[in-house]
């Protein structure tokens, strides 16, 4: 990490240029606010909390943004900061980005995820239900609650389990879509398809799964993958584009009769 | 203050009789069933999509019920179960190290400091193995050995290795498993999803829970939904303390609204404080981050021997360091249980020995471990945690000791439920952290995930059909008066918040509540402090209704408005928490009363007078609630004193 | 069969066909370049090669038709996916920055993958000019009649404007290939983390090789 390692509690002054949009039908615009005395210990979302308190004091409606666990795992938060999904740090969600990464006097431009499949609800909040519908299309193993075999009856080579876990670590935040120049969801879909295709439990349905999930992905109007790998660089969970290749492979396999 | 204590006769726990090992089996046989063809005639509302909610919704839909699933976030996958790190316990005994259902049961009862219901805990231990089977079948990528079998580790000081894990993201993987099962049922048309909905009230028709009123968080619309039963899987109330490791949207509203409608609230004073969290660094702080308990396996906890020592930690020589856990608990040292470690850190900080800018932190030092094992070994074990710590604090824990402090983490209390997980309102079932039943006064590590999934996958499918089979439940319409009245009440409440137009923000007021709670109802409590807390909470509640400032309108996406509504309920609930803590004149598990401790500052339980569950009945805001006692009997695990000396 | 056609129309299916057509066209490039290298051997070798080739009328027609189909498919898919990709983000960012570290420095800011459509379109323009020059023999300023293939080639390439266009065109082709080849392997699902790196380097070497190979002819012709 290239961040400064200065631990003293400095404060910085910032100019925040943030996207404001009152609802899905509003055209939206950028508004600029001055924010003084931001502690460098703050997380990015805490900085926005402070901005919102300032707006409230001035009788302006606060900036709406999604957030929940604030420890980088729920996938709820996400915004494009100075043109980068989740900001400048790699493998870091917006909530885990800290203000020591910025300098006194900086202007920070904040925009919502932009994709046709992720319509803006308000300000920085977007509707990511398209992801749920993709999972609904096939991101599961068809097993009912009841009496599956003993857990150790299904042996999984350690390496497969590890690779599967690498893919399963996806937090579904949508940064891959936001960062992709085509707003493609291939990394998200690739991660889920890989997670299940690598495990014996997921093999019986692998063809149907790849087919259905890709069909849904297209229906949601995500773009296609032109292999520029911005998604991988933006992914806070470190999901590799290897999973996109695997998705392509699984899809190709689903077309074969054997 | 006088408490009216009623006979426990109103509390029927429905615990089956007979030998402990056979109770659940026997009960399953005795419960009524619903014919497969008839199941599709029943609608079920499930509020919350965490481990309990998602697993219940999926399992019930598989059986044929029509499920409506509600969540506050934008997707069911975001529920806070996702943040659980460590693992999930099960009595598989794969490592052949002497584990058994009985031992898991025994450990959980003892760990709960003998304040849980034995039969529930036994059932939990009994179904724990099925959970692992189920999750593996769903494709949860648990850690594996080279031979392909599942890997186990020991956790939270347990003497056996019974914890299954998926790196440091077990909660995430289990939740995604349950979520995928849920989404499969959505595809099959058996579950209807309602994301970005907040439950604001429970609708009761003819004494039965028959529906809920929700607010659509995107449009601000109020909606009512009818069903034959309501399942509350809405998590805990740790955010009453403002700063906790809970997610920002975790709240008590759904549970509290049910309590106001007649569901008893049990043991609200049982809160768990986790010792290893990253300390508060400033007033703007919005949330605390947990560092896995496993760090205490190698880290040594210390403060300076000199009061108010402002020297850099690496400048403090060895003989001027106070390794207070090792000093006070030579046998367990740094590995004492969560509650003990937390209180010891607080004691040092209160005495003026705390470190860091705020003085509210202690060191967790890896210097000796690195010297002993080498940096590579430590990096392999804790690399990701160290990385996370550095990201948040900008300190490098390989060179400078970590600073840690306890934080609110989990709440054992919750709505009172019987053995069938049904609350005192028929038709209202409560699952997961939202109920009170399995952890007693203290929860063991890796048990929360187990309980959430046990309730959802393996308990509710049986007990709900028993409820349906035992009652005739005529269909109700959301046009009926009960629904309309409840909806109007919920809307009025939201409008009255908007109407205040004061000058304090929700954040300001929530912070104030948090300070009161942390100071008086935190790690150590006393009668005097709890009295003050109750008064201050009441004053703050009045302040809220006079000075709250919520901009914007109700008919829109208005996060401040959501937040204000939740705080309003926390302000009512927190008084109950303080009241319960004041009425429980003993120390047990997460509830530590300073008046009741041994000479070595250990918790002193009072089994003679307090071996019961306190279930509170709502009598109005600011009114003294009525206590109902459910006496606890310990037949299988005899009462004993916990000691870690 | 219907399912297959449906699948090939999906986003992945189209990229798959795009990759296959791209790689086949690369195969053609290799053959083409190999043939052209005979220019260096001498007039006789080159003329003989050209004559032999032109005698295979049927084969040549099939090959040309095949190439045309490959080109058209490749172009059609580029337009069709490009259009969808535009629809996928109706509102663009005010500011956009890469997070790939190696892409954010110096000349790499204009890394080829972001210019595939532009480089492809320019290459197409170049190919059309090239066909006019050599296939249709339609250049008004050139007299083709009575000349051997070798002579024609040297004459065409000696023209400074033609030489510049050919030099630039082949370099653009190289730019297109440095991303295109690796991208095709990824679209075909053949890469994993290790092979991905190999393909990336192979792609760069291949692109540079083809590009330099073809670019050498106008330079050579200048000194002829």
């Amino acid at each position: 990490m290239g961040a400064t390692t200065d631990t003293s509690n400095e404060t910085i002054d910032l100019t925040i240029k943030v996207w404001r949009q009152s609802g899905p039908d509003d055209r939206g615009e950028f508004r600029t606010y001055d924010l003084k005395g931001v502690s460098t210990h703050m997380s990015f979302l805490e900085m926005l909390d402070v901005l919102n308190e300032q707006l409230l004091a001035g009788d302006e409606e606060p900036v709406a943004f999604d957030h929940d666990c604030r420890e980088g795992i729920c996938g709820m938060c996400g915004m494009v900061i100075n043109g980068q999904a989740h900001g400048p740090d790699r493998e870091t969600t917006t909530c885990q980005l800290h203000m020591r990464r910025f300098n006194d006097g900086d202007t920070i431009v904040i925009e919502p995820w932009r994709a046709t499949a992720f319509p803006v609800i308000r300000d920085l909040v977007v509707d990511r239900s398209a992801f749920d519908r993709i999972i609904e299309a096939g991101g599961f193993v068809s097993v009912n609650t009841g009496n599956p075999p003993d857990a150790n009856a299904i042996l999984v080579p350690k390496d497969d389990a590890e690779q599967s876990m690498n893919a399963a670590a996806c937090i579904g935040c949508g940064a891959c879509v936001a960062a992709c120049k085509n707003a493609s969801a291939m990394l998200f879909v690739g991660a889920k398809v890989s997670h299940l295709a690598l495990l014996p439990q997921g093999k019986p349905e692998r063809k149907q799964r790849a087919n259905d999930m890709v069909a849904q992905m297209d229906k949601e109007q995500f773009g296609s993958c032109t292999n520029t790998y911005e998604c991988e660089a933006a992914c806070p969970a470190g999901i590799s584009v290897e999973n996109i290749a695997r998705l392509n492979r699984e899809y190709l396999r689903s077309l074969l009769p054997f | 203050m006088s408490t009216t204590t009623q006979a426990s006769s109103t509390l029927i726990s429905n615990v089956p009789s007979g030998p402990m090992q056979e109770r659940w089996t026997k009960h399953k046989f005795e419960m009524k069933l619903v014919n497969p063809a008839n199941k599709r005639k029943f609608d079920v509302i499930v509020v919350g999509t965490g481990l309990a909610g998602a697993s219940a919704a999926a399992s019930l839909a598989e059986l044929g019920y029509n499920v409506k699933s509600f969540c506050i976030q934008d997707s069911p996958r975001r529920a806070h179960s996702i943040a659980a790190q460590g693992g999930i316990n099960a009595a598989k005994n794969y490592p052949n190290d002497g584990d058994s259902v009985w031992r898991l049961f025994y450990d959980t009862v003892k760990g709960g400091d003998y304040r849980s219901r034995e039969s529930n805990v036994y059932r939990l231990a009994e179904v724990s193995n099925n959970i692992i089977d189920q999750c593996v079948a769903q494709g949860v990528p648990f850690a594996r050995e080279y031979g392909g079998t599942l890997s186990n580790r020991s956790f939270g000081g347990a003497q056996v290795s019974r914890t299954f894990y998926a790196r440091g993201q077990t909660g995430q993987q289990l939740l995604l498993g349950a979520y995928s099962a849920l989404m499969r049922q959505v595809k099959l048309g058996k579950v209807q999803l309602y994301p970005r909905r907040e439950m604001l009230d429970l609708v009761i028709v003819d004494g039965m829970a028959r529906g809920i009123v929700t607010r659509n968080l995107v449009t601000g619309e109020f909606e009512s939904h009818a069903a034959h039963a309501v399942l509350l899987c809405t998590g805990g109330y740790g955010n009453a303390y403002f700063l906790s490791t809970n997610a920002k949207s975790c709240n008590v509203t759904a549970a509290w609204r049910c309590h106001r409608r007649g569901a008893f609230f049990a043991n609200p004073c049982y809160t768990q404080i986790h010792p290893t969290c990253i300390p508060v660094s400033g007033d703007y702080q919005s949330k605390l981050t947990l560092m896995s308990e496993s760090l205490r396996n190698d880290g040594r906890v210390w403060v300076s021997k000199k009061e108010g020592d402002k020297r850099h930690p690496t400048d403090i020589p060895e003989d001027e360091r106070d390794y207070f856990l090792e000093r006070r608990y030579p046998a367990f040292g740094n590995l004492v249980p969560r509650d003990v470690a937390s209180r010891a850190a607080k004691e040092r900080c209160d005495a003026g020995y705390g470190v860091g800018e705020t003085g509210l932190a202690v060191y967790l030092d890896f210097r000796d471990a690195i010297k002993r094992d080498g940096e590579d070994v430590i990096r392999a074990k804790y690399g990701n945690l160290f990385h996370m710590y550095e990201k948040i604090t900008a300190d490098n824990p390989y060179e400078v000791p970590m600073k840690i402090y306890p934080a609110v983490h989990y709440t054992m209390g919750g709505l009172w439920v019987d053995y069938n997980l049904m609350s005192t309102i028929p038709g209202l079932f409560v699952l997961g952290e939202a109920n009170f039943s399995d952890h007693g006064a203290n929860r063991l590590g890796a048990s929360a995930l187990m309980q959430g999934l046990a309730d959802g996958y393996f308990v509710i499918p049986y007990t709900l059909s028993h409820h349906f089979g035992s009652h005739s439940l005529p269909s109700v319409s959301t046009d009926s008066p009960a629904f309309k009245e409840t909806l109007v009440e919920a809307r009025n409440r939201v409008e009255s918040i908007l109407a205040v137009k004061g000058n304090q923000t929700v954040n300001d007021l929530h912070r104030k509540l948090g300070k009161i709670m942390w100071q008086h109802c935190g790690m150590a409590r006393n009668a005097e402090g709890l009295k003050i807390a109750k008064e201050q909470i009441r004053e703050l509640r009045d302040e809220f209704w006079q000075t709250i400032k919520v901009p914007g309108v109700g008919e829109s996406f208005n996060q401040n408005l959501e937040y204000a509504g939740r705080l309003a309920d926390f302000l009512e609930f927190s008084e109950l928490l303080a009241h319960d803590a004041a009425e429980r004149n003993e120390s047990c598990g997460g509830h530590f009363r300073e008046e009741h401790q041994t000479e070595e500052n250990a918790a002193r339980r009072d089994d003679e007078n307090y071996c019961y569950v306190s279930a509170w009945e709502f009598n109005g805001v600011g009114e003294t609630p009525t206590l109902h006692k459910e006496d606890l009997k310990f037949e299988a695990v005899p009462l004993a004193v916990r000691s870690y000396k | 069969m219907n399912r297959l056609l449906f699948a090939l129309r999906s986003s992945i299916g189209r990229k798959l066909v795009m990759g296959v057509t791209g790689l086949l066209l690369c195969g053609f490039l290799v053959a083409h370049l190999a043939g052209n290298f005979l220019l260096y051997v001498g007039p006789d070798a080159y003329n003989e090669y050209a004559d032999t080739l032109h005698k295979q009328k049927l084969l040549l027609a099939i090959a040309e038709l095949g190439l045309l189909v490959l080109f058209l498919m490749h172009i059609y898919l580029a337009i069709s996916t490009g259009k969808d990709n535009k629809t996928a983000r109706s509102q663009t960012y005010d500011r956009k920055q890469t997070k790939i570290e190696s892409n954010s420095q110096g000349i790499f800011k204009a890394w080829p993958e972001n210019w595939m459509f532009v480089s492809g379109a320019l290459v197409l323009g170049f190919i059309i000019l090239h066909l006019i020059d050599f296939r249709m023999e339609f250049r008004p300023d050139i007299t083709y009649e009575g000349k051997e293939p070798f002579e024609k080639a040297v004459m065409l390439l000696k023209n400074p404007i033609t030489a510049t266009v050919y030099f630039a065109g082949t370099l653009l082709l190289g730019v297109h290939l440095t991303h295109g080849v690796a991208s095709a392997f990824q679209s075909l699902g053949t890469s994993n983390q290790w092979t991905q790196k190999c393909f990336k380097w192979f792609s760069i070497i291949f692109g540079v090789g083809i590009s330099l190979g073809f670019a050498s002819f106008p330079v050579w012709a200048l000194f002829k």
Side-chain angles (χ1 to χ4, degrees):
Chain A
M1 300 210 45
T4 57
T5 48
D6 187 3
T7 59
S8 65
N9 196 2
E10 267 183 57
T11 60
I12 52 176
D13 296 342
L14 298 166
T15 305
I16 308 293
K17 188 181 162 195
V18 60
W19 183 258
R20 302 305 309 264
Q21 183 175 341
S22 64
D25 301 325
D26 183 24
R27 283 195 53 190
E29 59 175 10
F30 280 101
R31 255 179 256 165
T32 307
Y33 306 101
D34 286 324
L35 195 58
K36 301 217 181 304
V38 174
S39 160
T40 51
H41 280 341
M42 280 183 194
S43 71
F44 197 83
L45 297 186
E46 285 165 350
M47 182 276 289
L48 286 179
D49 289 342
V50 173
L51 172 68
N52 279 343
E53 293 290 304
Q54 182 180 310
L55 293 180
L56 278 165
D59 283 319
E60 190 170 348
E61 282 197 52
V63 180
F65 61 92
D66 264 332
H67 63 97
D68 200 14
C69 77
R70 296 204 177 194
E71 48 187 89
I73 190 77
C74 75
M76 190 89 174
C77 69
M79 46 196 87
V80 172
I81 300 163
N82 287 336
Q84 295 177 312
H86 289 305
D89 287 344
R90 282 194 84 121
E91 294 193 26
T92 303
T93 53
T94 304
C95 63
Q96 294 285 285
L97 175 66
H98 279 70
M99 296 314 292
R100 62 182 80 93
R101 201 67 172 74
F102 298 89
N103 298 314
D104 192 40
D106 277 359
T107 297
I108 303 178
V109 183
I110 310 171
E111 294 178 77
W113 288 168
R114 293 210 186 277
T116 308
F118 290 167
V120 172
I121 292 175
R122 189 188 177 98
D123 297 339
L124 304 172
V125 176
V126 299
D127 178 359
R128 286 169 291 195
S129 51
F131 271 10
D132 285 324
R133 289 189 293 273
I134 292 176
I135 299 296
E136 179 191 328
F140 48 76
V141 172
S142 295
V143 54
N144 281 0
T145 308
N147 277 309
D150 183 85
N152 262 349
I154 305 166
L155 295 180
V156 183
K158 188 180 170 70
D159 191 44
D160 290 356
E162 293 291 320
Q163 278 201 62
S164 173
M165 181 62 208
N166 287 341
C170 167
I171 62 172
C173 66
C176 44
V177 174
C180 175
K181 71 188 181 78
N182 306 325
S184 165
M186 288 285 279
L187 193 65
F188 172 78
V189 180
K192 181 47 73 182
V193 165
S194 293
H195 158 209
L196 295 174
L198 282 159
L199 297 173
Q201 302 93 301
K203 293 217 157 85
E205 293 167 284
R206 67 198 296 184
K207 287 188 173 186
Q208 197 62 40
R209 179 180 306 119
N211 233 292
D212 292 351
M213 289 181 77
V214 169
Q216 188 63 35
M217 174 181 86
D218 289 353
K219 207 167 138 194
E220 300 288 350
Q221 290 201 298
F222 289 104
S224 58
C225 179
T226 43
N227 307 322
T228 60
Y229 308 152
E230 284 290 345
C231 52
E232 182 184 71
C235 178
I239 308 290
S240 159
V241 292
E242 186 182 3
N243 295 301
I244 293 182
R246 193 177 288 106
L247 170 61
N248 289 330
R249 206 148 65 224
E250 289 294 318
Y251 193 74
L252 193 60
R253 182 198 291 264
S254 78
L255 303 179
L256 303 175
F258 44 87
Chain B
M1 178 173 301
S2 67
T3 308
T4 341
T5 305
Q6 290 198 348
S8 55
S9 61
T10 50
L11 286 175
I12 301 164
S13 65
N14 284 317
V15 167
S17 55
M20 191 63 72
Q21 293 94 319
E22 288 159 27
R23 285 184 186 178
W24 177 232
T25 312
K26 179 173 154 234
H27 193 64
K28 277 195 283 190
F29 176 71
E30 286 168 355
M31 279 187 289
K32 294 203 168 84
L33 300 172
V34 177
N35 171 314
N38 282 341
K39 287 201 174 91
R40 72 174 74 96
K41 294 177 187 159
F42 289 99
D43 301 329
V44 185
I45 284 172
V46 182
V47 187
T49 57
L51 287 181
S55 60
S59 303
L60 293 173
E62 284 161 13
L63 288 172
Y65 297 113
N66 307 307
V67 177
K68 287 180 167 186
S69 163
F70 296 80
C71 69
I72 209 165
Q73 297 90 350
D74 72 331
S75 159
R77 65 181 292 155
R78 315 251 187 246
H80 195 54
S81 304
I82 206 153
Q85 300 170 352
I88 178 167
N89 286 334
K92 284 280 193 189
N93 193 31
Y94 284 152
N96 194 30
D97 58 357
D99 200 9
S100 62
V101 168
W102 192 266
R103 188 176 294 280
L104 176 55
F105 157 64
Y106 179 93
D107 288 354
T108 308
V109 170
K110 183 184 168 206
D113 218 354
Y114 302 93
R115 289 296 175 263
S116 48
R117 195 189 281 149
E118 265 191 336
S119 305
N120 284 53
V121 179
Y122 189 86
R123 176 176 65 190
L124 176 67
E126 187 181 332
V127 302
S128 66
N129 293 341
N130 303 63
I131 297 173
I132 302 302
D133 298 342
Q134 185 64 31
C135 294
V136 166
Q138 284 170 348
V140 170
F142 282 119
R144 300 267 168 178
E145 302 295 342
Y146 281 103
T149 54
L150 288 155
S151 180
N152 289 105
R153 66 181 171 198
S154 101
F155 196 80
Q159 288 168 299
V160 290
S161 295
R162 62 161 74 102
T163 304
F164 294 80
Y165 62 100
R167 296 201 188 139
Q169 291 140 269
T170 317
Q172 181 199 26
Q173 293 310 315
L174 296 177
L175 182 65
L176 292 181
Y179 160 74
S180 68
L182 175 69
M183 295 314 286
R184 176 172 159 246
Q185 295 304 316
V186 173
K187 186 182 188 184
L188 295 171
K190 292 307 289 179
V191 173
Q192 209 167 350
L193 273 190
Y194 294 89
R196 291 201 196 264
R197 299 298 201 291
E198 178 155 27
M199 170 177 164
L200 292 183
D201 217 333
L202 180 75
V203 183
I204 296 177
V205 180
D206 298 332
M208 297 265 193
R210 294 303 300 270
I212 59 171
V213 170
T214 58
R215 183 169 171 270
N216 180 326
L217 299 181
V218 176
T219 62
E221 267 172 279
F222 289 85
E223 306 158 335
S224 42
H225 301 271
H228 295 90
V230 175
L231 270 55
L232 213 63
C233 314
T234 52
Y237 46 82
N239 275 345
Y241 291 78
F242 183 68
L243 286 179
S244 79
T245 65
N246 284 7
K248 294 301 284 179
S249 65
C250 293
N251 68 79
V252 78
T253 290
W256 185 251
R257 293 280 124 194
C258 293
H259 175 60
R260 287 182 54 133
R261 294 274 169 206
F264 294 176
F265 212 113
N267 302 332
C269 76
Y270 293 160
T271 51
Q272 183 166 74
I273 317 269
H274 198 290
T276 51
C277 297
I278 300 178
V280 178
S281 69
D283 290 335
Y284 50 79
Q285 184 120 9
S286 60
K287 143 102 199 175
L288 295 173
T289 304
L290 180 81
M291 301 297 288
S292 171
E293 193 156 27
S294 60
L295 289 170
R296 284 195 285 141
N297 287 331
D298 283 298
R300 296 180 71 193
V301 178
W302 64 278
V303 292
S304 171
K305 282 182 183 165
K306 225 165 69 187
E307 204 180 317
D309 196 341
K310 287 288 164 204
R311 283 179 292 176
H312 193 266
T314 50
D315 295 338
I316 301 176
E318 188 62 25
D319 58 349
E320 289 174 41
R321 297 178 174 198
D322 175 16
Y323 295 93
F324 57 91
L325 287 179
E326 296 168 31
R327 172 169 58 81
R328 285 176 58 176
Y329 308 99
F332 277 70
N334 295 297
L335 290 171
V336 287
R338 291 175 178 178
D339 50 344
V340 181
S342 296
R343 279 196 295 273
K346 176 183 156 62
E347 186 276 327
R348 280 293 82 191
C349 294
D350 289 351
Y353 294 88
V355 305
E357 278 169 48
T358 57
L360 287 174
V362 298
Y363 291 124
L364 178 62
D365 201 339
F366 292 86
R367 186 194 60 179
D368 296 342
I370 291 171
K371 218 184 280 171
R372 182 188 66 226
D373 300 335
E375 195 174 309
D376 289 343
V377 173
I378 296 300
R379 192 183 299 275
K381 275 190 192 169
Y382 309 116
N384 58 339
L385 293 169
F386 279 31
H387 179 68
M388 180 162 90
Y389 180 86
E390 190 174 354
K391 209 145 65 175
I392 293 171
T393 64
D395 275 344
N396 176 357
Y398 294 100
E399 286 157 16
V400 186
M402 280 186 181
K403 290 197 272 281
I404 54 158
Y405 200 65
V408 175
H409 173 58
Y410 186 87
T411 56
M412 283 73 68
L415 291 181
W416 185 89
V417 290
D418 65 5
Y419 190 67
N420 293 326
L421 303 181
M422 190 162 81
S423 71
T424 49
I425 301 174
L428 175 69
F429 293 79
V430 189
L431 284 68
E433 191 181 350
N435 75 25
F436 87 103
S437 67
D438 295 359
H439 305 298
N442 177 51
R443 181 178 62 77
L444 290 179
S447 284
L449 304 182
M450 174 171 67
Q451 187 223 337
L453 290 179
D455 289 358
Y457 284 135
F458 297 109
V459 180
I460 198 69
Y462 296 90
T463 61
L464 188 67
S465 76
H466 178 63
H467 173 70
F468 288 153
S470 325
H471 299 87
S472 89
L473 295 162
S475 69
V476 290
S477 150
T478 52
D479 293 329
S480 64
F483 277 90
K484 285 188 167 162
E485 281 159 26
T486 313
L487 189 137
V488 169
E489 278 175 47
R491 181 186 291 144
N492 287 347
R493 187 175 163 86
V494 169
E495 276 165 10
S496 59
I497 291 174
L498 282 164
V500 178
K501 299 192 189 304
N503 55 9
Q504 289 203 80
T505 65
V506 198
N507 242 315
D508 293 341
L509 289 163
H510 198 176
R511 271 207 179 86
K512 285 184 187 171
L513 174 64
K515 283 207 174 108
I516 299 170
M517 296 302 289
W518 184 241
Q519 196 175 349
H520 300 297
C521 312
M523 276 180 280
R525 302 147 177 189
N526 59 57
E528 186 60 24
L530 290 165
K531 209 174 133 199
I532 296 170
K534 279 203 275 184
E535 279 162 22
Q536 289 182 342
I537 293 165
R538 267 184 226 165
E539 284 163 20
L540 192 63
R541 195 163 59 224
D542 292 341
E543 207 178 317
F544 175 93
W545 287 104
Q546 282 154 16
T547 65
I548 183 73
K549 176 181 191 173
V550 177
V553 292
E555 297 78 27
S556 74
F557 187 85
N558 189 336
Q559 289 173 311
N560 257 264
L561 183 60
E562 299 165 22
Y563 188 2
R566 292 168 203 162
L567 178 60
D569 288 325
F570 272 130
L571 284 165
E572 291 178 10
F573 163 76
S574 299
E575 192 182 340
L576 178 68
L577 195 162
H579 182 69
D580 182 43
E583 292 297 318
R584 185 166 283 279
N585 284 301
E586 63 160 351
S587 294
C588 58
H591 171 65
F592 187 79
R593 283 284 298 268
E594 285 165 345
E595 304 94 319
H596 304 284
Q597 54 181 314
T598 64
E599 274 140 37
E600 293 101 12
N601 306 105
R604 182 180 281 143
R605 236 173 40 221
D606 180 355
D607 292 330
E608 209 155 300
N609 298 305
Y610 288 95
C611 197
Y612 61 76
V613 174
S614 309
W616 300 96
E617 182 185 356
F618 183 75
N619 289 327
V621 178
E623 301 294 323
T624 307
T626 307
L627 174 67
H628 300 266
K629 293 177 182 174
E630 181 197 340
D631 288 321
L632 294 169
K633 286 185 207 72
F634 290 90
E635 302 159 49
V637 186
L639 286 158
V641 180
R642 281 164 88 212
S643 168
Y644 297 95
K645 269 282 164 189
Chain C
M1 199 59 202
N2 274 343
R3 212 181 118 231
L4 186 73
L5 282 178
F6 178 79
L8 289 178
R9 277 205 297 271
S10 72
S11 60
I12 294 186
R14 281 181 290 170
K15 295 302 292 185
L16 217 113
V17 177
M18 185 116 178
V20 172
T21 52
L23 288 179
L24 289 173
L25 288 170
C26 283
F28 163 70
L29 283 176
V30 173
H32 186 5
L33 183 63
N36 284 9
F37 273 135
L38 291 172
L39 282 170
Y40 294 151
V41 179
D44 294 344
Y46 185 76
N47 290 338
E48 197 191 324
Y49 155 70
D51 283 343
T52 323
L53 202 64
H54 288 149
K55 270 183 204 147
Q56 312 286 334
K57 285 226 174 346
L58 183 67
L59 221 60
L60 203 63
I62 293 170
E64 279 182 342
L65 189 69
L67 280 174
L68 184 70
V69 169
L70 287 182
F71 266 113
L72 289 179
M73 278 172 86
H74 199 76
I75 293 161
Y76 166 74
L77 290 171
I79 293 169
S80 120
T81 55
K83 222 174 82 188
D84 285 358
N85 291 344
K86 265 214 133 45
T87 331
R89 178 167 293 130
S90 38
Q91 185 158 14
T92 53
Y93 289 106
D94 182 63
R95 188 186 288 193
K96 189 76 177 76
Q97 254 192 86
T98 179
K99 260 182 114 162
I100 302 173
E101 276 146 32
S102 61
N103 281 15
S104 56
Q105 289 136 15
I107 57 157
F108 293 107
K109 274 182 185 166
W111 199 241
E113 58 237 34
N114 292 318
W115 298 98
M116 288 304 277
F117 200 87
V118 177
S119 61
L122 291 171
V123 167
L124 176 66
F126 164 65
I127 290 171
I128 291 170
L129 287 179
H130 178 55
L131 288 176
I132 291 172
D133 286 352
F134 283 87
R135 175 70 181 81
M136 301 179 210
E137 303 193 335
F138 205 64
R139 272 276 283 272
D141 58 325
I142 302 275
T143 337
Y144 292 94
E145 262 162 62
K147 295 203 170 80
E148 289 292 311
F150 183 85
E151 230 176 314
K152 283 186 205 166
V154 173
M155 188 179 63
L156 275 162
L157 292 174
K158 248 183 148 42
N159 181 320
I161 298 172
T162 313
T164 318
V165 169
Y166 276 53
F167 192 78
T170 49
L171 287 187
L172 273 169
L173 175 65
V175 167
H176 196 75
L177 293 180
T178 49
H179 174 68
V181 175
S183 183
F185 284 117
Q186 171 84 358
S187 293
L188 290 172
T190 49
S191 58
N192 58 35
Q193 237 159 8
W194 185 79
T195 53
Q196 198 192 32
K197 276 199 193 90
C198 300
F199 285 137
K200 190 177 170 178
W201 282 109
F202 172 73
S203 189
I204 291 171
I205 293 164
F206 183 81
V208 170
I210 291 281
S211 179
L212 290 181
F214 280 116
S216 69
F217 299 117
V219 178
W220 164 81
L222 280 181
F223 297 98
K224 200 68 192 167

